[in-house]
Amino acid sequence: MTTRPPAEIGMTVDEVDTPALVIDLDRFERNLRRLADRVAGSGVRMRPHAKTHKCPVIALKQMELGAVGVCCQKVSEAEALVYGGVKDVLVTNEIVGRQKLRRLTALAHHARIGVCVDDAGQVGALDAAAREAGITLPVYVEVNMGGNRCGVEPGEPALALARQIGQAPHLTFSGLQAYHGSAQHLRGWEERRQAIAGAADKAGRTRDLLARHGIECPTVTGAGTGSFEFETASGVYTELQCGSYIFMDADYGRNLDRDGEPTKAFEPSLFIWATVMSCPAQDRAIVDAGLKALAFDSGPPLVCDEPAATYERASDCRKHG
């Protein structure tokens, strides 16, 4: 038995089966160019985070506009990117376990692959895996910028880890991973500015400490869609890891600019196309996009072009709004 694809080239939008993920290509391409334009001439490089799209075609478009490479979070994401033609990938995470390390180091025969550490045991395991693969692996020390997830503390603990990397025969110390994730969705412009000022201070002091001990720190990488303007202007960060800017989800859209108005830095370009399947009352409509079609970890979605409508409640197969 065969079924018709939910969408085919040549269909009108109203023919697309719902719920469907839809990209507005004009908005998407404007967003791509906007970040490149915003950082042009700053001396700060772009390394967009590919966890947003997990798509080598999009990664290559970002690199065509000047990105030096991309980031990802998992070995499987790095594999998809490298086998799709991306030649520079930084895994902004700690990778542990023999099988994952073998897969990671195998990629280094096809592309530049960087990875992060925040523990001495990880350094030893990476060095052994790199030796087995016959490669030298770029390694970044992840520093806790205030999010209190992964990351060694700034200053002396980071120095000790950088020294250990430098002493490992099959590893190269390549810089600091200094991403302040919890700052990205602070609503106020000044709140975000202050949070990133604190992160830049920690990263800068750590970089300077490394320099005083004869350790070159070629890269300080971090930043996100909610804060990139502050990292760009910091004089500390050398790479930006913005990812969500290409699609601009509803939660990022709730951030405020300097003028106190919702951010206009980028446009929403990714949408869920849904069908109203019931309208039992004047103030209530039910559509076919619920918990299995939408993410609610950062709040409900917005109803595009209908500011008076709100998404109120979701269930497994439909929602009330």
Side-chain angles (χ1 to χ4, degrees):
M1 187 178 81
T2 60
T3 58
R4 187 181 182 186
E8 294 179 300
I9 294 173
M11 277 184 175
T12 59
V13 175
D14 63 328
E15 292 179 289
V16 175
D17 198 9
T18 59
L21 194 65
V22 177
I23 297 176
D24 184 321
L25 287 177
D26 291 333
R27 291 180 174 213
F28 166 77
E29 289 172 359
R30 284 197 294 267
N31 285 343
L32 280 174
R33 291 191 297 270
R34 281 180 183 178
L35 181 63
D37 291 344
R38 289 283 294 269
V39 303
S42 68
V44 179
R45 303 181 296 272
M46 294 185 295
R47 183 181 287 279
H49 215 301
K51 68 180 179 182
T52 304
H53 53 74
K54 305 185 183 185
C55 174
V57 173
I58 293 177
L60 291 171
K61 283 183 175 292
Q62 292 171 315
M63 293 176 73
E64 286 173 8
L65 289 173
V68 296
V70 296
C71 306
C72 66
Q73 285 297 97
K74 304 192 299 180
V75 176
S76 57
E77 293 172 356
E79 288 170 332
L81 292 163
V82 171
Y83 296 145
V86 180
K87 296 299 183 184
D88 193 325
V89 178
L90 169 60
V91 181
T92 53
N93 210 349
E94 289 69 33
I95 303 301
V96 299
R98 182 174 298 176
Q99 291 301 324
K100 287 187 175 66
L101 289 174
R102 283 176 172 168
R103 289 163 56 195
L104 181 78
T105 53
L107 292 176
H109 292 289
H110 307 283
R112 181 190 184 276
I113 303 294
V115 68
C116 295
V117 298
D118 64 359
D119 179 83
Q122 296 160 2
V123 176
L126 279 172
D127 188 51
R131 181 182 66 249
E132 180 182 320
I135 55 119
T136 299
L137 196 66
V139 178
Y140 298 70
V141 172
E142 182 165 9
V143 181
N144 181 12
M145 292 289 99
N148 296 325
R149 296 193 300 180
C150 298
V152 70
E153 291 306 305
E156 292 289 342
L159 171 63
L161 207 51
R163 278 176 166 159
Q164 186 182 357
I165 295 166
Q167 292 164 1
H170 302 279
L171 306 180
T172 301
F173 174 67
S174 295
L176 302 176
Q177 165 72 9
Y179 175 62
H180 194 351
S182 57
Q184 300 306 311
H185 296 277
L186 295 174
R187 294 296 174 229
W189 185 90
E190 181 61 22
E191 287 180 283
R192 296 196 303 280
R193 188 197 67 78
Q194 290 182 10
I196 298 306
D201 180 65
K202 292 176 183 177
R205 285 189 289 107
T206 301
R207 176 202 60 191
D208 294 345
L209 178 64
L210 294 172
R212 290 197 297 273
H213 287 82
I215 301 175
E216 182 184 0
C217 182
T219 300
V220 177
T221 183
T225 298
S227 68
F228 74 94
E229 61 187 311
F230 308 117
E231 284 95 347
T232 301
S234 69
V236 173
Y237 285 82
T238 64
E239 282 185 354
L240 305 177
Q241 296 178 357
C242 313
S244 296
Y245 74 99
I246 59 171
F247 296 142
M248 204 52 188
D249 60 66
D251 196 61
Y252 266 119
R254 297 182 182 103
N255 282 2
L256 304 180
D257 278 335
R258 185 195 295 261
D259 61 5
E261 295 296 317
T263 181
K264 299 178 182 64
F266 306 103
E267 306 172 70
S269 68
L270 187 69
F271 304 90
I272 297 294
W273 183 244
T275 299
V276 174
M277 48 194 291
S278 175
C279 194
Q282 268 195 327
D283 63 347
R284 186 170 75 253
I286 293 86
V287 302
D288 60 354
L291 290 174
K292 290 183 172 65
L294 297 157
F296 288 83
D297 52 319
S298 294
L302 302 176
V303 181
C304 182
D305 298 330
E306 290 289 347
T310 58
Y311 193 114
E312 293 294 332
R313 183 160 54 94
S315 62
D316 283 347
C317 58
R318 63 186 69 176
K319 72 94 176 173
H320 299 267

